[in-house]
Amino acid sequence: MIIKPGELLASINSPADLRNLKPEQLLQVTQELRQYIIDVVSIHGGHFGASLGVVELTTALHYVFNTPYDQLVWDVGHQAYGHKILTGRRDIFHTNRKYGGISGFPKRKESEYDTFGVGHSSTSISAALGMAVASKYKGEDKRQHIAVIGDGAMTGGMAFEALNHGGVANANLLVVLNDNCMSIDPNVGALKEYLTDITTSRTYNKMRDEVWKILGKISKFGPDARTIVSKIENGVKAAILKQSNLFEGLNFRYFGPIDGHDINHLVSVMEDLKHIPGPKILHCLTTKGKGFALAEKDQTKWHAPGLFDKITGEIYKTVPDKPQPPKYQDVFGHTIVELAEQNPKIMGITPAMPSGCSLNIMMAAMPDRAFDVGIAEQHAVTFSAGLATQGLVPFCNIYSSFMQRGYDQVIHDVCLQNLNVVFCLDRAGFAGADGPTHHGAYDIAYMRCIPNMVVAAPMNEQELRNMMYTASQEDMGPFTIRYPRGEGVMPQWRTPLELQQVGKGRTIQEGEEVAILTFGHVGNYAVEVCQKLALEGIHPGHYDMRYAKPLDAELLHHIFTKYEKVITVEDGCLQGGFGSAVLEFMVDNGYTSQVKRLGIPDAIFEHGSQLQLQHEAGFAPVDIENTVRELAGVPVKV
């Protein structure tokens, strides 16, 4: 289906075209841009609410600043759809997040307007500051550098580190704070309350406006007028807000808050800010989902709703004709509540992803025992470690790719002290349409190399429940449970909780000549392959190893004694992963079997469906089947 842009939007193939328009045409551009995002996302899917909320902001930035010479850095990519459409990708925008299509996030190799690749939050100020300092060093004094960061991303510690540096770097940097009180879920923490105080202080805002009017009438102060304005405004902020301005305390000039949906005022303010050197913050108030009533009302639901009817707002969902297995994240969410009802020591922690990881179920049932700490993975890990020192059992649920941001804390604060923190790594393996910034490719390798750490992966929902139950037992130490995005395989998943022996695998079936060793959900692929091959008289053995660390030495001795050919399958990186652990065992124990490892090779994989990416990487069911055929000396099927 061809989606036609509005009259003005159709004429914009670059920001240069946008800048040729008259200011009075910008309102129409924003209306057409917002409608185009609604039209495309409703049919093709993708993130939704965040980009609707910054349509005016996006238009104003590209209208006022000379992009791409002026460097525009977006924080995360959820809010950059309008940016992509205005920068020459309108006609291919429908391929967004699809296999072989454009990325759902800004990506340097995709466009010169994407100055920095983003997917994880809170990076924009650091990146833009680096660019600004580089420009200063090269003598490019007129070049502008703008970081657009949401208030949710501002809760990340990295943003404050960058502000702390930016305040003394004396570089030409503008931070645009997109304040909508949301990331994916509602924002939490003292910063949210602080921004709310600034936003809602009618006294401050009224007095500020009056002060500016008065100062406009006393320009006879000449060159000293700007100094007087600054001193008086700072005094107003401190007196009315009863505290110094946080940002100005970090040596950033603060402007706002202003209406982030008033395109003409945004343009006017940005034109002024272009001529003010040094570090600056523009505080813009926006509404996530602006222009689509249902998205404004339920912002979490409409963050990425899938396909929907843009007229009625109905979100299309396939109605199955039989019971379906749940998502792994929901099994986690319900199981942690079940465990917590039995064990008062269990606590839940997540860095700003309560609905994404389903900890919101526990937050509703036990609000005093479940914590959303904001977009702050480092803090989430060490906060969990602190809980563990007091005899509690924290379940710290972090997406696999986000766990990378708290790695030092895992080593220094948890594993070196051998604390009983349970890391539940959601979205392990390929994350699908979110692409390389969100693929959980490395956690097996980076977790199994740390002393004291257990690394487990369930093959199904029952295994996940049992691993969680096992990890919650007293003095289990650091414990990682990884599981993929999406559905499991058991419609009847509420099985009785059973303790597992840590490091003990299980035999799915004994076989002949070739053994398949799997780790995690991909074991279900091997079951499918074995059933198919059995019809041809080919009978590989299949073993669900369950644990990459510690390995089941007894089971591995059996396998390497019986089989001359072994296949390992994992949905993680091959370098240092589960297959590497098996090879290490084989060499250390003097075995000489032929081993073929299937998993994610040493390459960057883009976005697409999980199965598409698994086949590209070489461990989809057909790839496992063909590897068995190859090792068994049976013709490979094309």
Side-chain angles (χ1 to χ4, degrees), residues 311-600:
I311 305 299
T312 66
E314 176 191 0
I315 297 175
Y316 300 130
K317 293 188 180 297
T318 302
V319 180
D321 56 4
K322 59 182 179 179
Q324 296 295 301
K327 294 179 179 178
Y328 278 103
Q329 69 184 60
D330 292 333
V331 175
F332 162 83
H334 290 290
T335 301
I336 192 173
V337 172
E338 185 177 339
L339 292 172
E341 288 172 344
Q342 301 174 18
N343 184 349
K345 295 182 179 181
I346 289 176
M347 313 291 277
I349 298 93
T350 183
M353 299 301 295
S355 62
C357 74
S358 293
L359 190 67
N360 57 349
I361 300 171
M362 186 180 186
M363 292 175 72
M366 305 173 177
D368 60 331
R369 296 172 61 184
F371 303 91
D372 175 0
V373 300
I375 304 179
E377 291 83 5
Q378 291 175 295
H379 168 61
V381 174
T382 304
F383 174 66
S384 299
L387 292 171
T389 65
Q390 303 306 302
L392 300 180
V393 182
F395 277 72
C396 184
N397 192 309
I398 302 180
Y399 288 8
S400 171
S401 62
F402 297 162
M403 185 73 256
Q404 297 157 190
R405 296 157 67 89
Y407 189 55
D408 179 59
Q409 287 67 34
V410 173
I411 298 171
H412 183 272
D413 299 335
V414 177
C415 290
L416 293 186
Q417 303 184 88
N418 200 24
L419 295 173
N420 190 186
V421 176
V422 184
F423 295 105
C424 292
L425 304 190
D426 197 343
R427 272 62 167 181
F430 285 128
D434 281 336
T437 58
H438 284 60
H439 294 330
Y442 313 111
D443 60 86
I444 304 172
Y446 70 62
M447 285 300 199
R448 84 173 186 91
C449 67
I450 313 173
N452 293 325
M453 179 65 79
V454 171
V455 182
M459 186 170 147
N460 54 42
E461 296 90 326
Q462 181 179 15
E463 291 284 295
L464 173 56
R465 285 168 57 77
N466 292 342
M467 286 174 180
M468 291 176 65
Y469 182 47
T470 302
S472 71
Q473 302 305 302
E474 190 171 352
D475 297 328
M476 289 301 295
F479 205 114
T480 293
I481 306 171
R482 71 186 306 267
Y483 47 90
R485 180 177 193 164
E487 295 179 346
V489 294
M490 297 176 60
Q492 304 301 322
W493 60 273
R494 286 188 182 271
T495 54
L497 294 167
E498 298 177 1
L499 285 176
Q500 288 186 348
Q501 181 180 340
V502 174
K504 192 68 176 175
R506 60 178 182 148
T507 300
I508 304 297
Q509 69 175 47
E510 292 287 357
E512 305 165 356
E513 191 176 1
V514 178
I516 307 173
L517 281 59
T518 59
F519 183 59
H521 179 81
V522 290
N524 297 291
Y525 294 174
V527 169
E528 174 187 331
V529 167
C530 289
Q531 291 172 346
K532 183 177 180 181
L533 290 174
L535 299 176
E536 301 179 36
I538 305 170
H539 301 284
H542 177 204
Y543 304 88
D544 171 25
M545 296 304 295
R546 286 179 169 161
Y547 292 86
K549 182 184 180 183
L551 288 169
D552 187 338
E554 181 182 359
L555 184 57
L556 286 176
H557 280 301
H558 166 72
I559 292 168
F560 281 111
T561 300
K562 180 175 181 178
Y563 299 91
E564 294 183 356
K565 298 173 182 178
V566 174
I567 302 168
T568 66
V569 188
E570 62 196 296
D571 56 347
C573 65
L574 290 172
Q575 292 182 311
F578 163 68
S580 291
V582 173
L583 281 177
E584 291 163 13
F585 176 90
M586 183 186 78
V587 172
D588 291 345
N589 288 277
Y591 294 109
T592 57
S593 300
Q594 179 183 356
V595 177
K596 177 72 173 179
R597 294 176 301 147
L598 303 184
I600 301 176

Side-chain angles (χ1 to χ4, degrees), residues 2-11 32 36 39 85 90-91:
I2 298 176
I3 300 171
K4 293 184 178 180
E7 179 184 4
L8 289 180
L9 186 60
S11 69
E32 293 179 2
Y36 192 72
D39 290 345
I85 293 167
R90 180 193 63 239
D91 293 341

